[in-house]
């Protein structure tokens, strides 16, 4: 199947499952869609056991989808920007030290605890794996998933301060996580001496570089939005900011996710107040909320099918 056919299939399934969830299950959208996808997957496996070979065709379709490419180079930039667009910068500033601690110290502690626990459990099961590889696994799964976090927070009646802390940490932990992972990987493979200077340089390139790049492209978009009053052009500017900015971040080797978060916060706060009319604000919010909902639906259907 080509890209269009796969996209059409995923969107159709997302629409059908969303309808079923809304009418029958009435669960939070992302949870309901993933649950239905898992049930459908089990049903396909069950039919295979009964002699109806649908599973082979389903596997072939899923194998044609590069999940990493679809998420990291397709959906992630849109979802992070849309999520950051609606976070209040003043609320974020009030919780900045808690968020910074969770995204750095919290991530290191989580990596260590998961790595040690994995090493101990695997040892009990008879698998002798070096501790460094277990720590690498810990660094891989410790960063919270901003997409899932933001989707759940939309439906959870959490206190505003707690919501800001959780959302902020999930949006900003990417740069630190990348540095931890690269350092541990280089130790495990012996490909590079993990000196303090090298680690600092990695952090500057990924996290600080992503932050500065996000501010630059966000400010450029802000000035463009401020100079006109045409909602269709302004929506197009934000769309190009996300797609072009994320692609350029990858080309210059800075953190694209952090750049999207920073530019989203800038446009969603200063841009919303100082560069948009009420009409533009309504259209922009509606557009990005719809993008967020559609891509989240497709993503969680795909996760359910993949699992």
């Amino acid at each position: 199947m080509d890209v269009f056919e796969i996209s059409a299939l995923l969107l159709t399934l997302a629409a059908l499952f969303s309808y079923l969830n809304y009418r029958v299950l009435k669960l939070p959208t992302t949870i309901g869609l993933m649950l239905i996808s898992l049930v459908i997957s089990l049903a396909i496996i069950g039919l295979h056991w009964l002699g109806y070979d649908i599973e082979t065709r389903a596997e072939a379709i899923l194998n044609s989808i590069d999940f990493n490419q679809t998420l990291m180079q397709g959906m992630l930039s849109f979802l992070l920007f849309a999520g950051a667009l609606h976070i209040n910068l003043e609320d974020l500033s009030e919780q900045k030290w808690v968020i910074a601690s969770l995204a750095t110290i919290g991530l290191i502690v989580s990596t260590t605890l998961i790595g040690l626990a994995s090493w101990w459990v695997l040892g009990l099961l008879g698998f002798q794996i070096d501790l460094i590889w277990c720590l690498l696994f810990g660094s891989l799964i410790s960063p919270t998933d901003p997409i899932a976090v933001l989707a759940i927070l939309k439906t959870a009646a959490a206190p505003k301060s707690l919501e800001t802390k959780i959302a902020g940490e999930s949006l900003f932990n990417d740069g630190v996580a990348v540095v931890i992972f690269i350092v541990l990987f280089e130790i495990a493979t012996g490909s590079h001496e993990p000196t303090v200077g090298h680690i600092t340089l990695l952090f500057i390139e990924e996290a600080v570089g992503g932050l500065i790049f996000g501010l630059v492209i966000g400010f450029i978009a802000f000035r463009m939005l401020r100079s006109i009053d045409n909602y269709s052009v302004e929506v197009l500017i934000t769309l190009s900011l996300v797609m072009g900015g994320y692609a350029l971040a990858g080309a210059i080797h800075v953190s694209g996710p952090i750049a999207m978060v920073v530019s989203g916060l800038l446009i969603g706060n200063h841009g919303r107040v100082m560069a948009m009319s009420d009409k533009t604000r309504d259209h922009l919010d509606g557009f990005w909320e719809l993008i967020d909902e559609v891509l989240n639906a497709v993503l969680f259907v795909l996760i359910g099918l993949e699992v």
Side-chain angles (χ1 to χ4, degrees), residues 65-75:
I65 302 173
D66 188 330
F67 185 82
N68 177 65
Q69 189 75 8
T70 302
L71 176 60
M72 297 302 294
Q73 303 301 329
M75 299 180 178

Side-chain angles (χ1 to χ4, degrees), residues 146-225:
I147 298 165
V149 166
L150 293 171
I152 291 170
L153 286 176
K154 285 181 181 178
T155 58
K160 188 65 178 177
S161 60
L162 179 61
E163 182 179 329
T164 302
K165 291 171 188 173
I166 296 173
E169 188 273 339
S170 70
L171 288 169
F172 281 104
N173 61 25
D174 171 77
V176 179
V178 169
V179 173
I180 294 173
F181 180 85
I182 292 175
V183 169
L184 290 173
F185 182 76
E186 290 178 347
I187 294 173
T189 59
S191 59
H192 200 287
E193 185 66 27
T195 62
V196 174
H198 177 59
I199 295 172
T200 303
L201 181 61
L202 277 174
F203 181 78
I204 292 173
E205 286 178 351
E206 286 290 335
V208 180
L211 190 150
I212 294 172
F213 180 71
L215 284 173
V216 170
I217 60 174
F219 181 73
I220 292 171
F222 167 75
R223 292 301 298 267
M224 292 174 70
L225 293 172

Side-chain angles (χ1 to χ4, degrees), residues 1-15 61 64-65 70 75 294 298:
M1 298 179 74
D2 59 26
V3 174
F4 178 78
E5 291 174 331
I6 291 172
S7 300
L9 177 61
L10 288 174
L11 279 170
T12 302
L13 290 176
I61 294 172
S64 67
I65 302 173
T70 302
M75 299 180 178
V294 170
V298 172

